[in-house]
Structures are given as C-alpha cells and as structure tokens.
Amino acid sequence: MRTSRSLAVKKFCRTISSTGIQASDIRPLPVLRETMDYLWHLLNSSEYPFEIVHDFIFDRTRSVRQDLSIQNLVNDQAIGIYEDVIKFHILSHQRLARSCQDSDASSLCYLNTEQMMKCLLSLFDMYHTIHKINSQSNKEAEYYSFFVLLHMGCKIPKMANSLSFWYSQLPASIVRSKEMIFARTILRCYHLGNFKRFFCMIADEATELQLCLVEPFLNEVRARALMYLNHSGYKLQHHPLTHLSDILMIEELELEDLCRICGLEISRSGDTKAFAPKQTTFSLPTPLSKSSGIYISREIKR
C-alpha cells in the first residue's frame, strides 16, 4: 500500500502468457539495463537483512530475464545483463553460505544455485548465437569456468552428459583459456584429494568471482582432507594443526573447531596442538560450519 507505479520494480509473474501481453507490459532493452543497474546498487543495502534484499533482487532479476526472453533479445547488451544477473547469484552464493545455517537459509541457497545454473545455461546459448555472427563476450571463459566449479559441491542437478562431453562441445579457445584450465585443474584436485595444490591454486590464480563461488565448498574440502589424514596416517605420527592450517589455508583456531566438529580429539604438547590418526570417532558432519574463505599465514607469504 506504500508503493507507486512510478517507483515500483516489475515483479516476476510465473503464469504470464505471450498471447495476452500488451506492448506496454514489456520493458525495452534500455529500460532493462537501467533496472539491472538499479537492482545492483541495492545489493549492499544495510537497511534490511541480506536475506530480504536477496529475495527482492532474486525476484526482480527473474522478471528482467523474462522480459528479455519474451522479446527474444540476444545481443551484447542482453548478454551483459545476464552476466550481471549471474554475478549477483555468485555473490549471493557466498553471502548466504556465510550468514545462514538454518533450514530457511538452506532453501535460499538451493534456489539461488538452481537459478544460477539456469542463467548460465541460457547465457551459453546466447554465446553460441552471437558466435554465428563472429561476435564474442570478453567474459566467456570465466563464465564457462563457473559451470565447472559448481560441480565441486555435488549439489546441482546431474547433467544428461558427462563434463568431458560438454568440454568437447566448447570452442578450443575457451577450453585452452586460463580460467577454464584453472577450473578443470581445481575440480581434478578436488576429486583426487590433492588438497595442497587445490588451496595453493585458489590462493594464487582464482579470480574474485571464482573465489566467491568456491568459498562455500572449502570446509567440505578441508573435512575430506582430515578424513584422508585420519584414515591413512600412522598412529604414532600426529598431525600438528599449525602445519595443517598452512596446507588447508585456514586459521588454526578455525581448524581446531573443524576437527572437533568432525569428531577428532585434539592433544596438546607444550604450545603444539595435534591430532592422532586412526580415530574411530571421525565422521563427516552435515551441515559443515561456514567457511571464512582462504587464510594465508605471514610465514607462507614470506
């Protein structure tokens, strides 16, 4: 009751029909660009909790995409809007994972990831279309890499075909790009359990958005590393937390908390904290505690 037609942002309507739409109902491309810019500036609003801001922008960006789809707009400007929408979902992916631990937040995270995947697949179709007229976005390689990195968490709908088949359909320039090589290597390290290289590569090579995308998965990777160390280690060879915190790029106090969450008993000898392998109390927790990202000690930096 407090809004006005001159200020309101058009909301998403699931049941909209292209046959009953009037021209005045659909925003042209310049208006959609202005709308996206306006929504983008709301993202860091401190007036309301982030979950409420996210819910508003989430709905209005779906409406923006709907207007683009109805008009069948595929050009550089439309692609730019889609890339901004995906950027919003990636930043939300990070912030929701940091701030939310209850079931309501979990549903927000799931819906956000679901829409991010849909946006990416639509964007890839648009990339394919503009390639036919010898045009290309300068952000293609990075946005293709997001799709690969999302497979790390195993929380996305399974593809009809394997990633290997998907790679074979991509232009060679994309497959050989540094962004795609980074994403494929990170995914390979994740599956092979090469945790040292995994974290070193993220710290050294990840773009800002790539880091935002993988951050919610980092404690899952750290917990798997603890599982391997616990199961494969020698009982008398304890693992110092100081050394592990450098490898897993996490502050020692956070690593200690993660060990306890996983059921590992921490021993102390002087100033050194460590855990002994072969502890039968270990279990992978669900859900995991939120990750604060990548931490690099001063010693590593030197």
Side-chain angles (χ1 to χ4, degrees):
M1 298 301 293
R2 296 170 58 192
T3 190
S4 77
R5 290 180 63 87
S6 61
L7 295 176
V9 181
K10 181 181 174 184
K11 68 190 299 184
F12 175 72
C13 180
R14 186 180 300 275
T15 57
I16 195 167
S17 169
S18 57
T19 57
I21 296 178
Q22 299 180 14
S24 59
D25 295 330
I26 305 300
R27 293 163 292 183
L29 188 56
V31 176
L32 293 173
R33 179 67 265 175
E34 287 184 34
T35 303
M36 195 64 224
D37 291 341
Y38 170 74
L39 293 173
W40 191 252
H41 284 101
L42 294 179
L43 187 60
N44 294 318
S45 171
S46 58
E47 188 175 352
Y48 299 98
F50 177 72
E51 292 80 0
I52 293 176
V53 176
H54 164 81
D55 190 54
F56 179 83
I57 301 177
F58 180 94
D59 177 88
R60 277 18 178 216
T61 53
R62 288 189 76 182
S63 178
V64 168
R65 287 158 46 204
Q66 189 176 54
D67 280 9
L68 285 172
S69 177
I70 290 172
Q71 298 174 82
N72 196 28
L73 292 172
V74 181
N75 54 35
D76 292 343
Q77 292 80 12
I79 285 173
I81 291 174
Y82 258 85
E83 289 172 342
D84 282 350
V85 172
I86 292 166
K87 185 177 179 181
F88 155 70
H89 285 298
I90 291 174
L91 295 176
S92 295
H93 177 74
Q94 179 194 47
R95 291 183 65 173
L96 289 172
R98 280 185 177 184
S99 62
C100 306
Q101 298 296 321
D102 56 28
S103 58
D104 290 340
S106 296
S107 64
L108 284 178
C109 290
Y110 176 82
L111 291 172
N112 183 71
T113 304
E114 181 184 54
Q115 288 302 313
M116 183 175 6
M117 287 294 294
K118 289 181 178 180
C119 286
L120 281 169
L121 294 174
S122 297
L123 179 62
F124 298 159
D125 286 340
M126 297 171 81
Y127 284 158
H128 181 69
T129 299
I130 66 169
H131 287 169
K132 296 176 182 178
I133 56 172
N134 296 321
S135 182
Q136 188 173 358
S137 167
N138 59 5
K139 298 179 181 178
E140 280 190 33
E142 185 178 19
Y143 278 74
Y144 275 113
S145 77
F146 298 153
F147 185 76
V148 178
L149 293 173
L150 277 171
H151 285 73
M152 192 184 308
C154 302
K155 296 174 182 176
I156 63 170
K158 289 190 176 181
M159 297 173 60
N161 299 302
S162 68
L163 266 179
S164 296
F165 177 80
W166 182 73
Y167 293 143
S168 70
Q169 307 302 303
L170 298 177
S173 60
I174 297 297
V175 176
R176 291 196 298 263
S177 67
K178 64 178 182 179
E179 295 88 351
M180 186 62 84
I181 290 173
F182 165 81
R184 295 179 69 177
T185 306
I186 284 294
L187 191 60
R188 190 180 305 115
C189 290
Y190 171 80
H191 288 303
L192 294 177
N194 190 345
F195 303 112
K196 183 175 178 62
R197 189 179 183 198
F198 176 91
F199 283 102
C200 285
M201 280 195 69
I202 289 176
D204 292 340
E205 300 180 29
T207 66
E208 181 181 349
L209 288 178
Q210 286 173 333
L211 182 56
C212 289
L213 194 57
V214 301
E215 184 185 295
F217 305 131
L218 295 183
N219 273 355
E220 179 185 332
V221 177
R222 290 167 178 141
R224 287 184 64 206
L226 293 176
M227 178 181 70
Y228 289 168
L229 290 167
N230 181 59
H231 290 339
S232 62
Y234 178 54
K235 274 190 176 182
L236 299 180
Q237 185 179 4
H238 291 201
H239 297 294
L241 296 194
T242 302
H243 175 62
L244 288 180
S245 68
D246 288 342
I247 293 176
L248 302 179
M249 295 190 179
I250 182 174
E251 292 195 64
E252 189 174 337
L253 286 176
E254 284 190 58
L255 179 58
E256 185 177 355
D257 289 341
L258 183 60
C259 287
R260 297 190 189 283
I261 291 170
C262 293
L264 292 173
E265 183 178 338
I266 305 297
S267 60
R268 185 164 193 155
S269 176
D271 293 333
T272 303
K273 297 177 184 178
F275 75 85
K278 307 299 183 185
Q279 294 189 35
T280 57
T281 54
F282 182 90
S283 63
L284 286 173
T286 305
L288 281 163
S289 58
K290 61 186 178 182
S291 170
S292 58
I294 291 287
Y295 169 78
I296 306 176
S297 69
R298 291 188 176 88
E299 288 75 13
I300 294 293
K301 286 181 179 177
R302 286 201 293 268

